[in-house]
């Protein structure tokens, strides 16, 4: 018995699986090569601009407009996906209907489809002479080559992140909880808002953060439907490419660093809210 307790103490710190040292070493080296070193090189390159140079780039009217489009539209698209992604996941989990497997597979289509192909398809579909654009044009709604078109593209590429994050957790929800809520006299709306949604909130926030991060950096599917008009529908990643084509490496580096800092700050806030929700509502 004493020997078992000693062995338990020795193994409890490192976990059940052996090889912790090798695993953590490989993890740190891999993350350093793929993430930390490139980001560090970007920060080091941008450090040559100085605070004044970085502020000059950040306060440029064209850069501010591009950053506003990139972050504002990405946030709005992620919010839309957070709402409708939960509805899509609910339908796939709770209802059995003909073609369900096909719909479930279609959710992953933005993952497999090249972004350029998606952008071309969306631009053709929502253009003034497209199938959907022609129906909206008489009402004065123009989608293609406007910020609204950017939002459509970002909703398209970001939806799977919310659905696939929420769907597994939703499958674990016990339907007896709904029955108990109804038995206690709760309405259907109260059951959804007070019983079902709170346990799903951490997963919804995770999907929102992933969709937002994907939307901020999205390029291929956006440039074909955005119109790329400065101050109107020009995204920050495109402006970085334009700076590089003009051999303005300092300007491109400055914009990239600004995007990195803003993205990090927003994701940090989202993660803090997510941690709070997990602490409050726990896991299913």
């Amino acid at each position: 018995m004493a020997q078992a307790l000693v062995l338990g103490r020795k193994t409890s710190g490192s976990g059940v699986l052996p090889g912790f040292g090798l695993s953590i070493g490989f993890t740190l080296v891999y993350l350093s090569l793929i993430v930390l070193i490139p980001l560090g090189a970007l920060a080091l390159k941008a450090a040559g601009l100085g605070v004044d140079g970085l502020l000059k780039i950040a306060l440029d009217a064209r850069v501010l407009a591009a950053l506003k489009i990139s972050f504002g539209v990405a946030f709005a698209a992620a919010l839309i996906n957070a709402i409708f992604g939960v509805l899509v996941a609910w339908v796939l989990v709770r209802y059995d209907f003909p073609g369900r497997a096909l719909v479930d597979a279609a959710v992953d289509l933005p993952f497999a489809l090249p972004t350029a192909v998606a952008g071309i398809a969306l631009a053709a579909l929502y253009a003034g002479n497209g199938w959907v654009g022609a129906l909206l044009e008489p009402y004065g709604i123009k989608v293609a080559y406007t910020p609204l078109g950017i939002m459509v593209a970002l909703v398209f590429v970001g939806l799977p992140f919310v659905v696939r994050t929420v769907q597994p957790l939703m499958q674990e929800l016990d339907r007896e909880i709904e029955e108990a809520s109804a038995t206690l006299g709760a309405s259907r709306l109260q059951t959804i808002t007070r019983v079902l949604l709170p346990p799903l909130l951490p997963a919804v926030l995770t999907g929102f953060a992933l969709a937002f991060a994907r939307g901020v950096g999205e390029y291929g599917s956006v440039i074909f439907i955005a119109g790329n008009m400065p101050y109107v529908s020009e995204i920050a990643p495109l402006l970085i490419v334009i700076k590089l084509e003009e051999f303005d490496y300092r300007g491109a580096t400055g914009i990239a660093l600004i995007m990195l800092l803003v993205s990090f700050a927003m994701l940090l806030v989202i993660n803090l809210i997510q941690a709070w929700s997990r602490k409050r509502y726990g896991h299913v």
Side-chain angles (χ1 to χ4, degrees):
M1 178 68 69
Q3 185 178 4
L5 290 175
V6 172
L7 291 176
R9 290 173 183 173
K10 289 183 178 179
T11 59
S12 60
S14 58
V16 178
L17 296 178
F20 172 75
L22 181 62
S23 301
I24 192 64
F26 174 79
T27 301
L28 293 176
V29 171
Y30 185 81
L31 287 178
S32 298
L33 292 174
I34 302 300
V35 180
L36 299 180
I37 292 178
L39 294 181
L42 173 63
L44 185 63
K45 180 71 175 179
L49 296 171
V51 178
D52 294 336
L54 194 61
L55 286 176
K56 183 179 179 180
I57 294 174
L59 297 178
D60 181 76
R62 185 175 180 182
V63 174
L64 284 175
L67 291 173
K68 181 180 178 181
I69 289 293
S70 292
F71 286 97
V73 177
F75 186 87
L79 189 61
I80 293 173
N81 280 326
I83 297 173
F84 291 97
V86 173
L87 293 178
V88 173
W90 179 268
V91 170
L92 292 176
V93 170
R94 290 305 179 93
Y95 298 101
D96 190 11
F97 54 91
R100 177 181 174 275
L102 183 62
V103 175
D104 192 25
V107 172
D108 294 327
L109 190 60
F111 284 149
L113 193 66
T115 55
V117 175
I120 294 173
L122 291 173
L125 187 64
Y126 286 95
N129 56 352
W131 290 351
V132 179
L135 299 176
L136 299 176
E137 196 82 9
Y139 299 97
I141 302 175
K142 187 176 181 181
V143 178
Y145 317 122
T146 66
L148 185 57
I150 300 176
M151 184 180 297
V152 170
L154 297 186
V155 169
F156 174 81
V157 299
L159 180 64
F161 290 97
V162 179
V163 176
R164 294 313 184 204
T165 304
V166 175
Q167 189 175 2
L169 196 59
M170 193 174 290
Q171 289 174 338
E172 297 179 4
L173 287 177
D174 193 351
R175 298 194 181 188
E176 293 181 358
I177 299 177
E178 302 175 47
E179 298 174 358
S181 176
T183 302
L184 294 174
S187 65
R188 190 61 178 168
L189 181 60
Q190 290 175 327
T191 301
I192 293 175
T193 56
R194 298 183 181 181
V195 177
L196 299 179
L197 287 184
L200 296 176
L201 186 58
V204 174
L205 290 174
T206 300
F208 173 85
L210 292 174
F212 172 74
R214 171 66 185 273
V216 169
E218 182 62 24
Y219 179 79
S221 63
V222 172
I223 58 173
F224 292 100
I225 195 173
N228 308 319
M229 297 170 55
Y231 306 100
V232 177
S233 59
E234 184 180 54
I235 58 174
L238 176 61
L239 187 55
I240 293 175
V241 174
I242 292 174
K243 294 288 185 182
L244 291 175
E245 291 176 348
E246 295 174 350
F247 301 101
D248 184 6
Y249 300 116
R250 294 169 61 89
T253 304
I255 299 172
L257 181 61
I258 293 169
M259 289 192 67
L260 175 63
L261 294 176
V262 176
S263 299
F264 179 79
M266 296 189 71
L267 291 177
L268 178 62
V269 172
I270 293 172
N271 286 332
L272 290 175
I273 297 174
Q274 181 182 356
W276 171 83
S277 66
R278 283 178 174 173
K279 183 178 180 181
R280 178 176 176 83
Y281 299 110
H283 299 277
V284 177

